[in-house]
Amino acid sequence: MTSERRIDSISAVEAGLRAYDEALIVVSHDETFLESIGIEGRLELAGGVRRVD
């Protein structure tokens, strides 16, 4: 897959997730992606520590 097609695919997924008006569970390490889809709350697991924002 070319880089341009990959970017188009990611943009389409982001747009679809932003438009979705129900609850989502998203697992990602990519802060930019999470911000782009408008994540409002999160549960982080790191070294056994749970943080909820």
Side-chain angles (χ1 to χ4, degrees), residues 11-48:
S11 296
V13 169
E14 290 173 347
L17 292 174
R18 278 193 304 272
Y20 189 71
D21 197 27
E22 301 295 329
L24 289 172
I25 296 176
V26 178
V27 178
S28 179
H29 67 279
D30 187 335
E31 287 290 326
T32 303
F33 172 71
L34 295 172
E35 289 174 11
S36 73
I37 62 173
I39 294 296
E40 294 178 7
R42 66 177 58 184
L43 171 66
E44 293 185 20
L45 302 176

